[in-house]
Amino acid sequence: MAKISISLPDELLTYIDQQVENRSALIENLLKQWRQEQEDAALAIACSLVDELELGWQSEWQNVAITDWEASGS
């Protein structure tokens, strides 16, 4: 696994260390969550474009995609 370094202000590191046991795991989880939100947003845009182009999506599939996107909190 590749390693990266980031710089954070001392007061932020102190706060993080008070809140969690493993700051690296926290940062990894936050990045994974951000990536998932980006993917969800891209899917929502694609669904919207398909809808606009009327490419034959059944309304049932469209509703499932919209519901999934809304449930993701995006």
Side-chain angles (χ1 to χ4, degrees), residues 26-62:
L26 170 67
I27 292 169
E28 182 180 349
N29 287 332
L30 289 172
L31 289 171
K32 285 179 182 178
Q33 181 180 351
W34 176 81
R35 180 178 65 185
Q36 184 63 51
E37 290 173 1
Q38 299 302 306
E39 291 171 358
D40 291 346
L43 178 60
I45 290 169
C47 290
S48 176
L49 291 173
V50 167
D51 187 45
E52 287 177 20
L53 296 173
E54 297 180 7
L55 296 177
W57 272 53
Q58 296 177 1
S59 62
E60 176 184 324
W61 284 101
Q62 180 179 351

